[in-house]
Amino acid sequence: MSEPTIGELGEFGLIELITADLPEATELVIGPGDDAAAVALEPPVLVTTDVLVENVHFRRAWSTGTDLGRKAIAVNVADIEAMGGRAVAVTLALSAPPDTPVAWAREFAAGIRTECAAAGVALAGGDITGAAELIVSVTALGVTDGRAPVRRDGAGPDEVVAVRGRLGWAAAGLVVLGRGFRSPRVVVEAQRAPEVPYGAGAEAALAGATAMIDVSDGLLADLGHLARASGVTIDVNTGAFEIPEPLQAVAAATGTDPLRLVLTGGEDHALAATFPDPAAVPPGWLVVGTVRTGDSVVLVDGEPWPDEQGWKHF
């Protein structure tokens, strides 16, 4: 007996499967099932959208449906965190081949539920359509709870740069998977679904963060966005980093530079922020550099980084 597919389940059956038993938010007035959702939010409202495309952002040979469901929510909520906000609701559009197994869709729905609960957000609605390849698009809505959003353009000279979350783990997982291995398991899992430091964005905003960004393409690359937006130079101190044992293991086994993984590896969705001085940096954040006047560049130990600073989409 062949395994049932989502084409056989149908559009509305798939919608019911994904929206069953989801966590709710008090701000969600009308959820899935109507022509549009209604979310009660106080301005300013933060809005962000990310698209995950099969064989670009994930591979089903490497990731389960649960992994993709978690990742789709996490990468969007990370952007709300980077504005110093609190994510409240998400909408999700899924395009999938009709022959996709229903078992995969159940895993996907489980991943959505897991990450929505972890992030404290509700699935407000979305869309389902057939397609030649698997594509997931999520839009997240958030609030700042009365604070001004923390932008990329607020960093100033004599401030410090700090990070919160893991760096290099997803990149190490990509190196491992790309060579046909599945260990160390922790870095493989990090590549499949990021571990976003939920709540850290609001924590930084309350502590007086002057600028902030989600580290999605690599620390140096994303600090470059912040440096250019703020018109400052950022100098990263490599002595501030302690290379985790799993990254050391990957580096030793594959001939990879572990520091390069930390500085240029993407997809961990850590947060990087600037603060007025070290005393303002909240517990759990690691000071990794300084801000000074200059040419809107990122330096490493006072020198230009000689290679690519991170991922480029084009």
PDB file of all heavy atoms in Angstrom, residues 161 213 218-229 231-237 241 263-264 288-292 294-307 309:
ATOM      1  N   VAL A 161      30.861  46.151  20.826  1.00  0.00           N
ATOM      2  CA  VAL A 161      30.054  45.196  20.070  1.00  0.00           C
ATOM      3  C   VAL A 161      29.942  43.913  20.887  1.00  0.00           C
ATOM      4  O   VAL A 161      30.953  43.409  21.393  1.00  0.00           O
ATOM      5  CB  VAL A 161      30.691  44.885  18.706  1.00  0.00           C
ATOM      6  CG1 VAL A 161      29.822  43.908  17.913  1.00  0.00           C
ATOM      7  CG2 VAL A 161      30.925  46.155  17.917  1.00  0.00           C
ATOM      8  N   ILE A 213      21.522  43.583  14.934  1.00  0.00           N
ATOM      9  CA  ILE A 213      21.292  42.851  13.696  1.00  0.00           C
ATOM     10  C   ILE A 213      21.237  41.360  13.988  1.00  0.00           C
ATOM     11  O   ILE A 213      21.881  40.870  14.922  1.00  0.00           O
ATOM     12  CB  ILE A 213      22.394  43.174  12.660  1.00  0.00           C
ATOM     13  CG1 ILE A 213      22.008  42.675  11.270  1.00  0.00           C
ATOM     14  CG2 ILE A 213      23.750  42.617  13.105  1.00  0.00           C
ATOM     15  CD1 ILE A 213      22.895  43.241  10.160  1.00  0.00           C
ATOM     16  N   GLY A 218      26.610  35.549   8.416  1.00  0.00           N
ATOM     17  CA  GLY A 218      27.969  35.513   8.944  1.00  0.00           C
ATOM     18  C   GLY A 218      28.220  36.757   9.772  1.00  0.00           C
ATOM     19  O   GLY A 218      27.761  37.848   9.432  1.00  0.00           O
ATOM     20  N   LEU A 219      28.961  36.618  10.872  1.00  0.00           N
ATOM     21  CA  LEU A 219      29.165  37.745  11.783  1.00  0.00           C
ATOM     22  C   LEU A 219      29.816  38.924  11.081  1.00  0.00           C
ATOM     23  O   LEU A 219      29.343  40.068  11.203  1.00  0.00           O
ATOM     24  CB  LEU A 219      30.024  37.307  12.977  1.00  0.00           C
ATOM     25  CG  LEU A 219      30.326  38.409  14.005  1.00  0.00           C
ATOM     26  CD1 LEU A 219      29.041  38.897  14.657  1.00  0.00           C
ATOM     27  CD2 LEU A 219      31.307  37.902  15.052  1.00  0.00           C
ATOM     28  N   LEU A 220      30.894  38.692  10.335  1.00  0.00           N
ATOM     29  CA  LEU A 220      31.569  39.801   9.677  1.00  0.00           C
ATOM     30  C   LEU A 220      30.676  40.447   8.618  1.00  0.00           C
ATOM     31  O   LEU A 220      30.623  41.674   8.501  1.00  0.00           O
ATOM     32  CB  LEU A 220      32.880  39.332   9.038  1.00  0.00           C
ATOM     33  CG  LEU A 220      33.939  38.774   9.987  1.00  0.00           C
ATOM     34  CD1 LEU A 220      35.220  38.459   9.207  1.00  0.00           C
ATOM     35  CD2 LEU A 220      34.241  39.748  11.118  1.00  0.00           C
ATOM     36  N   ALA A 221      29.976  39.636   7.846  1.00  0.00           N
ATOM     37  CA  ALA A 221      29.093  40.172   6.811  1.00  0.00           C
ATOM     38  C   ALA A 221      27.982  41.016   7.416  1.00  0.00           C
ATOM     39  O   ALA A 221      27.690  42.128   6.941  1.00  0.00           O
ATOM     40  CB  ALA A 221      28.505  39.034   5.988  1.00  0.00           C
ATOM     41  N   ASP A 222      27.365  40.527   8.479  1.00  0.00           N
ATOM     42  CA  ASP A 222      26.243  41.256   9.056  1.00  0.00           C
ATOM     43  C   ASP A 222      26.697  42.469   9.857  1.00  0.00           C
ATOM     44  O   ASP A 222      26.021  43.504   9.858  1.00  0.00           O
ATOM     45  CB  ASP A 222      25.390  40.307   9.900  1.00  0.00           C
ATOM     46  CG  ASP A 222      24.609  39.328   9.030  1.00  0.00           C
ATOM     47  OD1 ASP A 222      24.002  39.791   8.047  1.00  0.00           O
ATOM     48  OD2 ASP A 222      24.628  38.125   9.295  1.00  0.00           O
ATOM     49  N   LEU A 223      27.847  42.376  10.524  1.00  0.00           N
ATOM     50  CA  LEU A 223      28.401  43.578  11.152  1.00  0.00           C
ATOM     51  C   LEU A 223      28.760  44.610  10.092  1.00  0.00           C
ATOM     52  O   LEU A 223      28.713  45.820  10.348  1.00  0.00           O
ATOM     53  CB  LEU A 223      29.629  43.227  11.983  1.00  0.00           C
ATOM     54  CG  LEU A 223      29.370  42.528  13.317  1.00  0.00           C
ATOM     55  CD1 LEU A 223      30.693  42.221  14.017  1.00  0.00           C
ATOM     56  CD2 LEU A 223      28.478  43.364  14.230  1.00  0.00           C
ATOM     57  N   GLY A 224      29.094  44.147   8.887  1.00  0.00           N
ATOM     58  CA  GLY A 224      29.343  45.069   7.786  1.00  0.00           C
ATOM     59  C   GLY A 224      28.105  45.875   7.440  1.00  0.00           C
ATOM     60  O   GLY A 224      28.189  47.078   7.169  1.00  0.00           O
ATOM     61  N   HIS A 225      26.931  45.228   7.447  1.00  0.00           N
ATOM     62  CA  HIS A 225      25.679  45.956   7.204  1.00  0.00           C
ATOM     63  C   HIS A 225      25.483  47.026   8.274  1.00  0.00           C
ATOM     64  O   HIS A 225      25.094  48.156   7.984  1.00  0.00           O
ATOM     65  CB  HIS A 225      24.494  44.992   7.222  1.00  0.00           C
ATOM     66  CG  HIS A 225      24.564  43.923   6.169  1.00  0.00           C
ATOM     67  ND1 HIS A 225      24.954  44.166   4.881  1.00  0.00           N
ATOM     68  CD2 HIS A 225      24.280  42.590   6.238  1.00  0.00           C
ATOM     69  CE1 HIS A 225      24.911  43.036   4.182  1.00  0.00           C
ATOM     70  NE2 HIS A 225      24.500  42.070   4.987  1.00  0.00           N
ATOM     71  N   LEU A 226      25.738  46.652   9.511  1.00  0.00           N
ATOM     72  CA  LEU A 226      25.566  47.576  10.626  1.00  0.00           C
ATOM     73  C   LEU A 226      26.559  48.729  10.535  1.00  0.00           C
ATOM     74  O   LEU A 226      26.212  49.897  10.754  1.00  0.00           O
ATOM     75  CB  LEU A 226      25.719  46.816  11.943  1.00  0.00           C
ATOM     76  CG  LEU A 226      25.250  47.480  13.231  1.00  0.00           C
ATOM     77  CD1 LEU A 226      24.828  46.427  14.257  1.00  0.00           C
ATOM     78  CD2 LEU A 226      26.349  48.344  13.816  1.00  0.00           C
ATOM     79  N   ALA A 227      27.816  48.427  10.193  1.00  0.00           N
ATOM     80  CA  ALA A 227      28.840  49.463  10.080  1.00  0.00           C
ATOM     81  C   ALA A 227      28.494  50.463   8.986  1.00  0.00           C
ATOM     82  O   ALA A 227      28.634  51.688   9.173  1.00  0.00           O
ATOM     83  CB  ALA A 227      30.199  48.823   9.804  1.00  0.00           C
ATOM     84  N   ARG A 228      28.030  49.965   7.840  1.00  0.00           N
ATOM     85  CA  ARG A 228      27.687  50.869   6.743  1.00  0.00           C
ATOM     86  C   ARG A 228      26.456  51.705   7.079  1.00  0.00           C
ATOM     87  O   ARG A 228      26.402  52.900   6.756  1.00  0.00           O
ATOM     88  CB  ARG A 228      27.458  50.073   5.459  1.00  0.00           C
ATOM     89  CG  ARG A 228      28.759  49.548   4.846  1.00  0.00           C
ATOM     90  CD  ARG A 228      28.528  48.898   3.500  1.00  0.00           C
ATOM     91  NE  ARG A 228      27.816  47.636   3.623  1.00  0.00           N
ATOM     92  CZ  ARG A 228      28.398  46.467   3.865  1.00  0.00           C
ATOM     93  NH1 ARG A 228      29.707  46.413   4.045  1.00  0.00           N
ATOM     94  NH2 ARG A 228      27.690  45.360   3.930  1.00  0.00           N
ATOM     95  N   ALA A 229      25.463  51.099   7.716  1.00  0.00           N
ATOM     96  CA  ALA A 229      24.263  51.849   8.078  1.00  0.00           C
ATOM     97  C   ALA A 229      24.574  52.941   9.093  1.00  0.00           C
ATOM     98  O   ALA A 229      23.986  54.027   9.061  1.00  0.00           O
ATOM     99  CB  ALA A 229      23.199  50.903   8.637  1.00  0.00           C
ATOM    100  N   GLY A 231      27.702  54.270   9.609  1.00  0.00           N
ATOM    101  CA  GLY A 231      28.820  55.104   9.217  1.00  0.00           C
ATOM    102  C   GLY A 231      29.996  55.017  10.168  1.00  0.00           C
ATOM    103  O   GLY A 231      30.649  56.027  10.460  1.00  0.00           O
ATOM    104  N   VAL A 232      30.285  53.804  10.654  1.00  0.00           N
ATOM    105  CA  VAL A 232      31.371  53.601  11.621  1.00  0.00           C
ATOM    106  C   VAL A 232      32.228  52.423  11.175  1.00  0.00           C
ATOM    107  O   VAL A 232      31.864  51.673  10.272  1.00  0.00           O
ATOM    108  CB  VAL A 232      30.822  53.321  13.039  1.00  0.00           C
ATOM    109  CG1 VAL A 232      30.038  54.518  13.562  1.00  0.00           C
ATOM    110  CG2 VAL A 232      29.958  52.050  13.041  1.00  0.00           C
ATOM    111  N   THR A 233      33.376  52.281  11.820  1.00  0.00           N
ATOM    112  CA  THR A 233      34.216  51.104  11.637  1.00  0.00           C
ATOM    113  C   THR A 233      34.087  50.216  12.870  1.00  0.00           C
ATOM    114  O   THR A 233      34.090  50.705  14.004  1.00  0.00           O
ATOM    115  CB  THR A 233      35.686  51.503  11.435  1.00  0.00           C
ATOM    116  OG1 THR A 233      35.829  52.085  10.136  1.00  0.00           O
ATOM    117  CG2 THR A 233      36.609  50.296  11.535  1.00  0.00           C
ATOM    118  N   ILE A 234      33.953  48.924  12.640  1.00  0.00           N
ATOM    119  CA  ILE A 234      33.869  47.949  13.726  1.00  0.00           C
ATOM    120  C   ILE A 234      35.119  47.085  13.686  1.00  0.00           C
ATOM    121  O   ILE A 234      35.505  46.582  12.619  1.00  0.00           O
ATOM    122  CB  ILE A 234      32.605  47.085  13.591  1.00  0.00           C
ATOM    123  CG1 ILE A 234      31.353  47.944  13.858  1.00  0.00           C
ATOM    124  CG2 ILE A 234      32.651  45.894  14.548  1.00  0.00           C
ATOM    125  CD1 ILE A 234      30.046  47.215  13.632  1.00  0.00           C
ATOM    126  N   ASP A 235      35.745  46.927  14.837  1.00  0.00           N
ATOM    127  CA  ASP A 235      36.950  46.103  14.936  1.00  0.00           C
ATOM    128  C   ASP A 235      36.645  44.909  15.838  1.00  0.00           C
ATOM    129  O   ASP A 235      36.357  45.065  17.024  1.00  0.00           O
ATOM    130  CB  ASP A 235      38.100  46.925  15.524  1.00  0.00           C
ATOM    131  CG  ASP A 235      39.454  46.219  15.388  1.00  0.00           C
ATOM    132  OD1 ASP A 235      39.482  45.080  14.877  1.00  0.00           O
ATOM    133  OD2 ASP A 235      40.470  46.811  15.791  1.00  0.00           O
ATOM    134  N   VAL A 236      36.683  43.713  15.255  1.00  0.00           N
ATOM    135  CA  VAL A 236      36.382  42.484  15.976  1.00  0.00           C
ATOM    136  C   VAL A 236      37.657  41.932  16.591  1.00  0.00           C
ATOM    137  O   VAL A 236      38.683  41.810  15.904  1.00  0.00           O
ATOM    138  CB  VAL A 236      35.736  41.447  15.040  1.00  0.00           C
ATOM    139  CG1 VAL A 236      35.522  40.116  15.761  1.00  0.00           C
ATOM    140  CG2 VAL A 236      34.414  41.972  14.487  1.00  0.00           C
ATOM    141  N   ASN A 237      37.591  41.572  17.849  1.00  0.00           N
ATOM    142  CA  ASN A 237      38.721  41.022  18.587  1.00  0.00           C
ATOM    143  C   ASN A 237      38.595  39.507  18.651  1.00  0.00           C
ATOM    144  O   ASN A 237      37.749  38.968  19.362  1.00  0.00           O
ATOM    145  CB  ASN A 237      38.754  41.620  20.001  1.00  0.00           C
ATOM    146  CG  ASN A 237      39.789  40.956  20.892  1.00  0.00           C
ATOM    147  OD1 ASN A 237      40.766  40.374  20.409  1.00  0.00           O
ATOM    148  ND2 ASN A 237      39.579  41.036  22.204  1.00  0.00           N
ATOM    149  N   PHE A 241      36.816  35.206  21.496  1.00  0.00           N
ATOM    150  CA  PHE A 241      36.071  33.990  21.204  1.00  0.00           C
ATOM    151  C   PHE A 241      36.761  32.761  21.781  1.00  0.00           C
ATOM    152  O   PHE A 241      37.973  32.600  21.635  1.00  0.00           O
ATOM    153  CB  PHE A 241      35.910  33.809  19.696  1.00  0.00           C
ATOM    154  CG  PHE A 241      35.125  34.879  19.029  1.00  0.00           C
ATOM    155  CD1 PHE A 241      35.771  35.923  18.373  1.00  0.00           C
ATOM    156  CD2 PHE A 241      33.750  34.878  19.062  1.00  0.00           C
ATOM    157  CE1 PHE A 241      35.058  36.923  17.751  1.00  0.00           C
ATOM    158  CE2 PHE A 241      33.018  35.874  18.442  1.00  0.00           C
ATOM    159  CZ  PHE A 241      33.675  36.899  17.784  1.00  0.00           C
ATOM    160  N   LEU A 263      33.510  33.424  12.428  1.00  0.00           N
ATOM    161  CA  LEU A 263      33.437  34.784  11.903  1.00  0.00           C
ATOM    162  C   LEU A 263      32.596  34.911  10.642  1.00  0.00           C
ATOM    163  O   LEU A 263      31.992  35.968  10.407  1.00  0.00           O
ATOM    164  CB  LEU A 263      34.843  35.313  11.626  1.00  0.00           C
ATOM    165  CG  LEU A 263      35.772  35.496  12.828  1.00  0.00           C
ATOM    166  CD1 LEU A 263      37.123  36.021  12.375  1.00  0.00           C
ATOM    167  CD2 LEU A 263      35.151  36.433  13.862  1.00  0.00           C
ATOM    168  N   THR A 264      32.546  33.872   9.816  1.00  0.00           N
ATOM    169  CA  THR A 264      31.879  34.010   8.518  1.00  0.00           C
ATOM    170  C   THR A 264      30.729  33.028   8.307  1.00  0.00           C
ATOM    171  O   THR A 264      30.021  33.138   7.305  1.00  0.00           O
ATOM    172  CB  THR A 264      32.895  33.838   7.365  1.00  0.00           C
ATOM    173  OG1 THR A 264      33.363  32.481   7.335  1.00  0.00           O
ATOM    174  CG2 THR A 264      34.079  34.769   7.539  1.00  0.00           C
ATOM    175  N   VAL A 288      32.769  41.382  21.847  1.00  0.00           N
ATOM    176  CA  VAL A 288      33.691  40.835  20.857  1.00  0.00           C
ATOM    177  C   VAL A 288      34.375  41.908  20.026  1.00  0.00           C
ATOM    178  O   VAL A 288      35.150  41.576  19.120  1.00  0.00           O
ATOM    179  CB  VAL A 288      32.967  39.856  19.907  1.00  0.00           C
ATOM    180  CG1 VAL A 288      32.403  38.678  20.671  1.00  0.00           C
ATOM    181  CG2 VAL A 288      31.877  40.564  19.106  1.00  0.00           C
ATOM    182  N   GLY A 289      34.113  43.186  20.313  1.00  0.00           N
ATOM    183  CA  GLY A 289      34.742  44.210  19.498  1.00  0.00           C
ATOM    184  C   GLY A 289      34.404  45.606  19.946  1.00  0.00           C
ATOM    185  O   GLY A 289      33.695  45.817  20.939  1.00  0.00           O
ATOM    186  N   THR A 290      34.916  46.555  19.195  1.00  0.00           N
ATOM    187  CA  THR A 290      34.722  47.968  19.498  1.00  0.00           C
ATOM    188  C   THR A 290      34.268  48.714  18.251  1.00  0.00           C
ATOM    189  O   THR A 290      34.443  48.240  17.116  1.00  0.00           O
ATOM    190  CB  THR A 290      36.020  48.597  20.025  1.00  0.00           C
ATOM    191  OG1 THR A 290      37.069  48.390  19.063  1.00  0.00           O
ATOM    192  CG2 THR A 290      36.427  47.983  21.362  1.00  0.00           C
ATOM    193  N   VAL A 291      33.720  49.895  18.477  1.00  0.00           N
ATOM    194  CA  VAL A 291      33.257  50.765  17.401  1.00  0.00           C
ATOM    195  C   VAL A 291      34.106  52.030  17.418  1.00  0.00           C
ATOM    196  O   VAL A 291      34.391  52.579  18.485  1.00  0.00           O
ATOM    197  CB  VAL A 291      31.771  51.134  17.580  1.00  0.00           C
ATOM    198  CG1 VAL A 291      31.281  51.941  16.384  1.00  0.00           C
ATOM    199  CG2 VAL A 291      30.915  49.896  17.781  1.00  0.00           C
ATOM    200  N   ARG A 292      34.497  52.474  16.234  1.00  0.00           N
ATOM    201  CA  ARG A 292      35.233  53.732  16.160  1.00  0.00           C
ATOM    202  C   ARG A 292      34.894  54.446  14.862  1.00  0.00           C
ATOM    203  O   ARG A 292      34.249  53.878  13.965  1.00  0.00           O
ATOM    204  CB  ARG A 292      36.737  53.475  16.252  1.00  0.00           C
ATOM    205  CG  ARG A 292      37.358  52.632  15.162  1.00  0.00           C
ATOM    206  CD  ARG A 292      38.863  52.566  15.361  1.00  0.00           C
ATOM    207  NE  ARG A 292      39.548  51.981  14.234  1.00  0.00           N
ATOM    208  CZ  ARG A 292      40.226  50.848  14.287  1.00  0.00           C
ATOM    209  NH1 ARG A 292      40.256  50.142  15.408  1.00  0.00           N
ATOM    210  NH2 ARG A 292      40.870  50.401  13.220  1.00  0.00           N
ATOM    211  N   GLY A 294      35.479  55.920  11.210  1.00  0.00           N
ATOM    212  CA  GLY A 294      36.233  55.293  10.136  1.00  0.00           C
ATOM    213  C   GLY A 294      35.450  55.207   8.862  1.00  0.00           C
ATOM    214  O   GLY A 294      34.538  56.016   8.612  1.00  0.00           O
ATOM    215  N   ASP A 295      35.758  54.205   8.046  1.00  0.00           N
ATOM    216  CA  ASP A 295      35.271  54.125   6.677  1.00  0.00           C
ATOM    217  C   ASP A 295      34.149  53.108   6.483  1.00  0.00           C
ATOM    218  O   ASP A 295      34.045  52.478   5.421  1.00  0.00           O
ATOM    219  CB  ASP A 295      36.430  53.784   5.747  1.00  0.00           C
ATOM    220  CG  ASP A 295      37.546  54.823   5.807  1.00  0.00           C
ATOM    221  OD1 ASP A 295      37.225  56.014   5.899  1.00  0.00           O
ATOM    222  OD2 ASP A 295      38.725  54.420   5.801  1.00  0.00           O
ATOM    223  N   SER A 296      33.348  52.886   7.498  1.00  0.00           N
ATOM    224  CA  SER A 296      32.202  51.976   7.381  1.00  0.00           C
ATOM    225  C   SER A 296      32.637  50.573   6.964  1.00  0.00           C
ATOM    226  O   SER A 296      32.074  49.972   6.042  1.00  0.00           O
ATOM    227  CB  SER A 296      31.165  52.522   6.390  1.00  0.00           C
ATOM    228  OG  SER A 296      30.717  53.794   6.789  1.00  0.00           O
ATOM    229  N   VAL A 297      33.649  50.056   7.648  1.00  0.00           N
ATOM    230  CA  VAL A 297      34.154  48.724   7.345  1.00  0.00           C
ATOM    231  C   VAL A 297      34.235  47.911   8.627  1.00  0.00           C
ATOM    232  O   VAL A 297      34.099  48.434   9.732  1.00  0.00           O
ATOM    233  CB  VAL A 297      35.554  48.783   6.690  1.00  0.00           C
ATOM    234  CG1 VAL A 297      35.482  49.493   5.350  1.00  0.00           C
ATOM    235  CG2 VAL A 297      36.557  49.458   7.617  1.00  0.00           C
ATOM    236  N   VAL A 298      34.474  46.613   8.449  1.00  0.00           N
ATOM    237  CA  VAL A 298      34.706  45.716   9.579  1.00  0.00           C
ATOM    238  C   VAL A 298      36.144  45.233   9.507  1.00  0.00           C
ATOM    239  O   VAL A 298      36.592  44.729   8.464  1.00  0.00           O
ATOM    240  CB  VAL A 298      33.738  44.523   9.554  1.00  0.00           C
ATOM    241  CG1 VAL A 298      34.056  43.550  10.691  1.00  0.00           C
ATOM    242  CG2 VAL A 298      32.300  44.998   9.671  1.00  0.00           C
ATOM    243  N   LEU A 299      36.858  45.373  10.599  1.00  0.00           N
ATOM    244  CA  LEU A 299      38.227  44.897  10.714  1.00  0.00           C
ATOM    245  C   LEU A 299      38.276  43.707  11.662  1.00  0.00           C
ATOM    246  O   LEU A 299      37.381  43.551  12.503  1.00  0.00           O
ATOM    247  CB  LEU A 299      39.143  46.003  11.232  1.00  0.00           C
ATOM    248  CG  LEU A 299      39.167  47.315  10.447  1.00  0.00           C
ATOM    249  CD1 LEU A 299      40.043  48.336  11.153  1.00  0.00           C
ATOM    250  CD2 LEU A 299      39.641  47.088   9.010  1.00  0.00           C
ATOM    251  N   VAL A 300      39.291  42.906  11.530  1.00  0.00           N
ATOM    252  CA  VAL A 300      39.520  41.780  12.436  1.00  0.00           C
ATOM    253  C   VAL A 300      40.903  41.962  13.040  1.00  0.00           C
ATOM    254  O   VAL A 300      41.903  41.942  12.317  1.00  0.00           O
ATOM    255  CB  VAL A 300      39.415  40.429  11.700  1.00  0.00           C
ATOM    256  CG1 VAL A 300      39.694  39.282  12.659  1.00  0.00           C
ATOM    257  CG2 VAL A 300      38.037  40.279  11.072  1.00  0.00           C
ATOM    258  N   ASP A 301      40.943  42.192  14.343  1.00  0.00           N
ATOM    259  CA  ASP A 301      42.201  42.486  15.036  1.00  0.00           C
ATOM    260  C   ASP A 301      42.935  43.637  14.370  1.00  0.00           C
ATOM    261  O   ASP A 301      44.156  43.622  14.189  1.00  0.00           O
ATOM    262  CB  ASP A 301      43.091  41.247  15.101  1.00  0.00           C
ATOM    263  CG  ASP A 301      42.464  40.129  15.925  1.00  0.00           C
ATOM    264  OD1 ASP A 301      41.711  40.444  16.868  1.00  0.00           O
ATOM    265  OD2 ASP A 301      42.720  38.952  15.614  1.00  0.00           O
ATOM    266  N   GLY A 302      42.165  44.645  13.947  1.00  0.00           N
ATOM    267  CA  GLY A 302      42.749  45.853  13.375  1.00  0.00           C
ATOM    268  C   GLY A 302      43.101  45.781  11.911  1.00  0.00           C
ATOM    269  O   GLY A 302      43.560  46.765  11.331  1.00  0.00           O
ATOM    270  N   GLU A 303      42.861  44.634  11.275  1.00  0.00           N
ATOM    271  CA  GLU A 303      43.232  44.447   9.877  1.00  0.00           C
ATOM    272  C   GLU A 303      42.025  44.022   9.046  1.00  0.00           C
ATOM    273  O   GLU A 303      41.111  43.370   9.556  1.00  0.00           O
ATOM    274  CB  GLU A 303      44.327  43.389   9.740  1.00  0.00           C
ATOM    275  CG  GLU A 303      45.616  43.712  10.492  1.00  0.00           C
ATOM    276  CD  GLU A 303      46.372  44.882   9.889  1.00  0.00           C
ATOM    277  OE1 GLU A 303      46.159  45.148   8.681  1.00  0.00           O
ATOM    278  OE2 GLU A 303      47.163  45.514  10.611  1.00  0.00           O
ATOM    279  N   PRO A 304      42.013  44.349   7.741  1.00  0.00           N
ATOM    280  CA  PRO A 304      40.929  43.863   6.877  1.00  0.00           C
ATOM    281  C   PRO A 304      40.928  42.342   6.806  1.00  0.00           C
ATOM    282  O   PRO A 304      41.994  41.713   6.795  1.00  0.00           O
ATOM    283  CB  PRO A 304      41.269  44.485   5.508  1.00  0.00           C
ATOM    284  CG  PRO A 304      42.176  45.635   5.811  1.00  0.00           C
ATOM    285  CD  PRO A 304      42.957  45.233   7.021  1.00  0.00           C
ATOM    286  N   TRP A 305      39.750  41.746   6.753  1.00  0.00           N
ATOM    287  CA  TRP A 305      39.629  40.301   6.577  1.00  0.00           C
ATOM    288  C   TRP A 305      39.939  39.972   5.123  1.00  0.00           C
ATOM    289  O   TRP A 305      39.356  40.564   4.201  1.00  0.00           O
ATOM    290  CB  TRP A 305      38.219  39.859   6.948  1.00  0.00           C
ATOM    291  CG  TRP A 305      37.986  38.384   6.879  1.00  0.00           C
ATOM    292  CD1 TRP A 305      37.249  37.722   5.948  1.00  0.00           C
ATOM    293  CD2 TRP A 305      38.458  37.383   7.797  1.00  0.00           C
ATOM    294  NE1 TRP A 305      37.225  36.375   6.214  1.00  0.00           N
ATOM    295  CE2 TRP A 305      37.970  36.131   7.338  1.00  0.00           C
ATOM    296  CE3 TRP A 305      39.243  37.412   8.938  1.00  0.00           C
ATOM    297  CZ2 TRP A 305      38.236  34.944   7.988  1.00  0.00           C
ATOM    298  CZ3 TRP A 305      39.517  36.218   9.585  1.00  0.00           C
ATOM    299  CH2 TRP A 305      39.016  35.010   9.129  1.00  0.00           C
ATOM    300  N   PRO A 306      40.830  39.028   4.847  1.00  0.00           N
ATOM    301  CA  PRO A 306      41.318  38.843   3.475  1.00  0.00           C
ATOM    302  C   PRO A 306      40.354  38.130   2.529  1.00  0.00           C
ATOM    303  O   PRO A 306      40.536  38.183   1.309  1.00  0.00           O
ATOM    304  CB  PRO A 306      42.590  38.003   3.676  1.00  0.00           C
ATOM    305  CG  PRO A 306      42.363  37.264   4.962  1.00  0.00           C
ATOM    306  CD  PRO A 306      41.567  38.195   5.824  1.00  0.00           C
ATOM    307  N   ASP A 307      39.357  37.450   3.058  1.00  0.00           N
ATOM    308  CA  ASP A 307      38.483  36.644   2.199  1.00  0.00           C
ATOM    309  C   ASP A 307      37.033  37.104   2.333  1.00  0.00           C
ATOM    310  O   ASP A 307      36.737  38.146   2.912  1.00  0.00           O
ATOM    311  CB  ASP A 307      38.619  35.164   2.579  1.00  0.00           C
ATOM    312  CG  ASP A 307      40.039  34.657   2.383  1.00  0.00           C
ATOM    313  OD1 ASP A 307      40.603  34.918   1.309  1.00  0.00           O
ATOM    314  OD2 ASP A 307      40.567  34.019   3.308  1.00  0.00           O
ATOM    315  N   GLN A 309      33.434  37.642   3.704  1.00  0.00           N
ATOM    316  CA  GLN A 309      33.013  37.855   5.084  1.00  0.00           C
ATOM    317  C   GLN A 309      31.774  37.053   5.457  1.00  0.00           C
ATOM    318  O   GLN A 309      31.391  37.031   6.634  1.00  0.00           O
ATOM    319  CB  GLN A 309      32.752  39.343   5.324  1.00  0.00           C
ATOM    320  CG  GLN A 309      34.012  40.196   5.190  1.00  0.00           C
ATOM    321  CD  GLN A 309      33.775  41.631   5.608  1.00  0.00           C
ATOM    322  OE1 GLN A 309      32.636  42.114   5.623  1.00  0.00           O
ATOM    323  NE2 GLN A 309      34.834  42.316   5.955  1.00  0.00           N
TER     324      GLN A 309
END
